[in-house]
Amino acid sequence: MVEVVVDAAHGGRWTSLRSSSGREWLWHREAPGREAVRPGDAFVDAGGLEECIPTIGGPPDHGDAWARPWRNEGDALVVDGDGYVLERRITTEDDTVTAAYRVKAEEGWRFIWAAHALLELAPHSTLLAPEGHPAVVAGPSADGVHEFPWPRFKGTDLSHLGENNGTALMVTLADLDRVTVLDGDEQLHMRLDVAGAPASIAIWRNLKGWPDGAPYRNIGVEPMVGRIGEIGLCGPGDAAVIPDSGVLEWTLTLTCEFGQGRLTM
C-alpha cells in the first residue's frame, strides 16, 4: 500500500510519497526557513510536493497556498487563500494515490495550479511523454524562451535526466494530461483530470545549474491546471477560469508500478 504524509500546518505540503516497495519518491533538502514562511515570501525549496496556486511564477512566488496553514474539515484539508478557498481530499488504494481538488472563488477568477512535485531520481531516470509533443523551454540555461518538439532541445534529449552538467531548464508541455517517470524497474505515473480548464505538465530539470553560487540537483515533475506557469503571462485560454457556479474541480492520480516502463495515452 502506498503511503502519503502531509504537513497541514505548513502549506499542506506532501512530505512523503512511499510505494509498497519502500521507495520514497519525494526529494528533500534541508531548509530551516520553510516553517517560518508567510504569504508573499520568496519560495523556500525544501522539497516534497507543494501546492502552487494561483500561480507558479510570481508574484506571489509559487503562489500563496504553500505558505499558509491548512485546516481539517472532515476528510479534507482546506486553505483560505487570497480570493479563493481550496479543498483537497487524498485517498489511497494499493499503489495509487488520488487527490481530489475543489476551488471556490468568484466567477471569472483566473488562476494556475500545480502539484510542485520534487522527485528523488537517479541520473539514468527517464521522463516518458509523447515524442513530438509541442514544448516550451525557459529557465536559467535556456537563453530565452523557445518552442521545440519534445524531447530534443538543441541536440539534448531532455527525457533523459543524466549526470549533473550545470544546467537548469523549465519545460512546459501544454495540453498534456499525463506523464510517466521511469527509474530503473520502478515507475511513477502521474495523471491530471480536469473539465473546463487546460491540463499540462511542467518539468523543472535542475542538474546543478541553479541557484547561482550554491547550485544543487533537483527535478520537478508538475501536473498543472493551465498552459503557462505564470498567471501574469497568460493569454485567453491559458489559465483556469472559475465558472458561474463558483467552483472548479480536478483530480490528480499518482500510481507506483514495477517492471518495464510504459506510457498509455
Side-chain angles (χ1 to χ4, degrees):
M1 175 72 75
V2 67
E3 295 181 355
V4 178
V5 179
V6 301
D7 185 350
H10 302 102
R13 174 171 165 253
W14 304 40
T15 59
S16 179
L17 174 62
R18 188 177 297 274
S19 71
S20 59
S21 70
R23 162 68 183 263
E24 175 57 64
W25 281 99
L26 297 181
W27 171 88
H28 298 90
R29 171 175 172 267
E30 288 296 324
R34 175 65 182 83
E35 295 187 359
V37 296
R38 297 292 183 269
D41 286 354
F43 184 64
V44 178
D45 198 14
L49 187 157
E50 304 275 16
E51 304 284 354
C52 296
I53 188 174
T55 186
I56 306 175
D61 190 7
H62 287 70
D64 63 11
W66 71 274
R68 296 179 182 274
W70 294 43
R71 66 179 187 278
N72 287 290
E73 284 193 3
D75 61 349
L77 283 179
V78 181
V79 61
D80 298 299
D82 186 6
Y84 68 91
V85 177
L86 177 66
E87 301 177 6
R88 184 189 71 202
R89 288 175 170 82
I90 294 178
T91 57
T92 60
E93 183 177 358
D94 298 327
D95 265 329
T96 294
V97 180
T98 302
Y101 294 84
R102 176 181 175 93
V103 65
K104 302 176 185 177
E106 291 187 1
E107 177 186 357
W109 187 69
R110 301 167 72 246
F111 72 95
I112 300 296
W113 166 88
H116 188 273
L118 294 169
L119 304 181
E120 185 67 54
L121 299 174
H124 60 247
S125 299
T126 303
L127 306 177
L128 302 177
E131 184 174 351
H133 191 92
V136 175
V137 64
S141 303
D143 190 26
V145 179
H146 306 272
E147 298 180 1
F148 70 101
W150 176 264
R152 300 197 70 84
F153 173 64
K154 292 186 176 181
T156 299
D157 185 345
L158 298 185
S159 68
H160 298 292
L161 296 182
E163 301 289 344
N164 296 332
N165 61 10
T167 63
L169 298 170
M170 187 69 182
V171 180
T172 303
L173 293 93
D175 302 310
L176 181 65
D177 63 2
R178 64 194 66 194
V179 66
T180 290
V181 180
L182 175 63
D183 188 347
D185 290 332
E186 300 196 72
Q187 305 164 55
L188 179 64
H189 304 282
M190 310 175 82
R191 189 183 80 240
L192 183 60
D193 296 291
V194 55
S200 303
I201 302 293
I203 299 166
W204 169 240
R205 189 176 184 272
N206 177 24
L207 306 181
K208 280 199 170 183
W210 182 91
D212 291 339
Y216 50 86
R217 179 189 181 98
N218 67 343
I219 308 297
V221 183
E222 308 172 26
M224 178 173 72
V225 175
R227 291 193 177 97
I228 297 175
E230 187 170 337
I231 190 65
L233 299 179
C234 288
D238 290 333
V241 181
I242 296 294
D244 56 10
S245 65
V247 173
L248 189 68
E249 299 178 327
W250 63 93
T251 302
L252 173 65
T253 304
L254 308 175
T255 301
C256 307
E257 287 190 352
F258 304 94
Q260 183 63 36
R262 59 180 173 82
L263 178 65
T264 304
M265 299 304 299

